[in-house]
Each structure stands twice: as structure tokens, then as C-alpha cells.
Amino acid sequence: MSSTNTYTASTDRILAGVALMLGFCITAPLLDVAAKLASDSIPVGQITAARFLVQCVLMAPFVWIMGLSLAVARSQWLALCSRAALLLASTFCFIAAIRVMPLADALAIVFIAPFIVLLVGKFSFGEDVGPRRVGAAMVGFVGVLFVIQPSFAAFGPVALFPLGTAVGFAFYILVTRGLSRRMHPVTLQFHTGLIASLLCLPIILLAQGTEAELLDLVWPKGITWIWLFGVGFFATLSHMMMTYALSLAPSATLAPLQYLELPVATLLGYLVFSDFPNTLALTGIVIIIGAGLYMIHRERVTARQLITDRAAPPI
């Protein structure tokens, strides 16, 4: 009976994790929709600042209700500030891109972040990464070229902004790996929002009156307030869903589900903005998804092989 109850509880946790990851795939593109709607009248820097200010405000009550400490060890401050700065830069680049690009095109390019993490892990940290996974990463980069080519022709250098997002987010993931083991997810989200806000606000305040297209402050009007709040709200909700999903279910189970974000973003882009990737971009998106799923498959195979090797009796 005890064994059955334990199995059921474990299954329930995995199902809850899967449900939360599916929730992430639905809510994360809503953040992009709100940002794109706001960008019609609000500069990118101001939208970026709103994203982190709202996150900070939303997380503060949870920190208090849950009785969490905001104390940060001196040794963690550099990583915490780096994490916030990387996410800030990634967010700015992505919002600057979707201001003119279709959501699906920009998001597909960002999905090379796991490939960058894998290659950095292999060549900078000496992680054991086989040639098949390296090959999958290379194929993923080819897919990005398929997406960028028509976007660059249509929108110019702005089509390269998602590459900045992918690189920044890749290093954000690497920094988060270490911090997530030492800080509560709610505290981590609060500090990230606070630090990113403190980094962002002085820049846009100094840019006021400069007529800089991406930074000069504009007073929001009417429904734009809702879009700005939506950027922060859906960012906070989606990231918390992902964080708790990873605490309930194995990352190997959840990783393939994240690619559902792409068709959701494509559908929302079509319904809200009448945007749809052209044939070349769609081909690139399919290549990126295929390479990502194959890389995840190889990671599972490698993990199973390691478990088998460790369990084998010595000869």
C-alpha cells in the first residue's frame, strides 16, 4: 500500500509539472503579444522597465506571505546582478525585434539558446557532450539562418536582435543553474525584478527628451496601461510556472514540451497581428524544433547509459 501511494504521489507530481509547463507555453507568448501591442506607442526601453517593475511589485507580497528572507550572501551578489543584467538585455533585444518582426520568427531564433548553452558547456566548461548533440546544435544554427534570411531582407539589421536575446538568455540559464540551488524561486524572481528595474530606470530617465526611438519616455494613454501591466504580469506568471514545473517533474520530461510555445506564438501572431512566417522561415522553424528535440533525445539516451554504467557490477 505504501509503495502504491508513493508511486501515485510521484505520478501526480509529474502530471502537475507537465500541466504547469503547458501553462508556461500558453502564457509566455501572451507576454510577447502585450509587448508588441504596447510597442505601437511606447518605446522599447519603457516596456522593458515595465516588465521588471511589475514583476517586482507582484512578487513582493508573496515574499512577505511566505515569510521568505530577502538576505543575499555576499558571494551570490555578483551572480544575481549578472542574472538580472542578462535577462534585462535579452528582454530589450526581443521586444525591439517583435516591434517589427512576426512573433514566431523572433521566438524561433531565440530557441537556439539551448544549443549555445550546450556548446559553451562543452568548450568552456569541459562538459561531456557527444558529437551527435554538437551536430544537432549545428543543424539548429542552420535553421536560424533560414529564419533570419527573409526577416533580414524585410526588416534589416533588427532581425539580428533575437540573436542577442538567444546569447543573453543562454548565459542567463548558465548563471541561473547555480543560483537556483541556493535561493528560493520567489526570492530569486523578486531580486531579479528589483535589480533589473534599478539598472533600467536610470537609463530611460537619462534618455528622456533625447528623442531616442527606443528609449525616450512617453506617457501611456488608455489601454496601453493594460498592455504594459500585461507584459509584467504574464512574464511573472510564466516564469513562476516554469520554475515550479521544474521542481515537480524531471527536466527531461518537460524540455520537449517547451517547443509548444512556438505554435502558440504562431497562432497568436496570426490571430492578433495577421502575421505568419513565410515558407523559408517555416522551414527554419521546423529545422530548429527538430534539432532541439533530437538533442533532448540524445541527452536522455546519454543519461540512461550513465545510470546503466554506474549500476553495472564491477568485473
Side-chain angles (χ1 to χ4, degrees):
M1 181 66 71
S2 176
S3 176
T4 302
N5 289 341
T6 301
Y7 174 78
T8 302
S10 177
T11 303
D12 288 345
R13 283 175 59 85
I14 292 174
L15 289 176
V18 168
L20 285 170
M21 182 57 79
L22 292 176
F24 166 83
C25 293
I26 294 170
T27 54
L30 291 174
L31 147 67
D32 304 334
V33 169
K36 191 173 178 70
L37 289 168
S39 68
D40 284 341
S41 57
I42 303 296
V44 173
Q46 197 170 339
I47 299 171
T48 305
R51 178 252 188 270
F52 290 105
L53 280 169
V54 172
Q55 175 177 318
C56 187
V57 171
L58 289 176
M59 297 312 300
F62 288 97
V63 172
W64 178 70
I65 292 169
M66 297 172 72
L68 300 173
S69 172
L70 293 178
V72 178
R74 186 177 299 178
S75 60
Q76 296 175 1
W77 272 112
L78 179 59
L80 197 57
C81 291
S82 298
R83 182 181 190 269
L86 287 166
L87 187 57
L88 174 63
S90 299
T91 303
F92 182 90
C93 287
F94 190 73
I95 296 174
I98 62 173
R99 191 168 61 110
V100 294
M101 289 177 65
L103 296 181
D105 292 36
L107 188 61
I109 297 171
V110 175
F111 265 84
I112 67 166
F115 306 145
I116 297 173
V117 171
L118 180 140
L119 295 177
V120 170
K122 177 177 177 60
F123 295 110
S124 295
F125 300 111
E127 294 181 358
D128 186 17
V129 179
R132 293 182 183 180
R133 280 184 285 171
V134 172
M138 295 295 104
V139 171
F141 284 113
V142 172
V144 168
L145 295 178
F146 276 78
V147 179
I148 286 180
Q149 192 278 327
S151 297
F152 193 88
F155 309 116
V158 72
L160 300 177
F161 271 110
L163 281 178
T165 299
V167 173
F169 196 71
F171 284 95
Y172 164 85
I173 292 170
L174 289 170
V175 174
T176 301
R177 280 181 180 177
L179 280 174
S180 61
R181 300 187 188 101
R182 294 174 286 172
M183 294 184 68
H184 192 281
V186 173
T187 306
L188 189 58
Q189 290 292 88
F190 173 81
H191 280 303
T192 299
L194 178 62
I195 295 170
S197 299
L198 293 175
L199 291 173
C200 191
L201 286 175
I203 297 173
I204 62 173
L205 289 174
L206 289 171
Q208 188 174 9
T210 63
E211 298 185 3
E213 183 181 6
L214 299 179
L215 295 173
D216 196 4
L217 280 172
V218 172
W219 187 254
K221 296 180 181 179
I223 199 170
T224 307
W225 285 104
I226 296 178
W227 304 143
L228 288 175
F229 177 78
V231 171
F233 175 77
F234 288 119
T236 304
L237 181 61
S238 61
H239 277 256
M240 288 307 299
M241 281 185 172
M242 175 183 276
T243 301
Y244 277 103
L246 290 169
S247 70
L248 294 171
S251 57
T253 301
L254 300 178
L257 298 176
Q258 190 174 350
Y259 284 91
L260 292 173
E261 187 182 350
L262 267 172
V264 173
T266 303
L267 178 61
L268 289 173
Y270 178 73
L271 292 176
V272 180
F273 306 106
S274 299
D275 288 336
F276 197 80
N278 63 22
T279 303
L280 195 58
L282 275 176
T283 302
I285 290 172
V286 171
I287 291 173
I288 293 168
I289 293 175
L293 292 176
Y294 179 77
M295 192 173 73
I296 292 168
H297 165 70
R298 289 306 310 171
E299 288 176 353
R300 284 180 169 179
V301 170
T302 302
R304 283 198 296 266
Q305 186 61 49
L306 285 173
I307 292 172
T308 303
D309 292 345
R310 287 171 183 170
I315 297 175

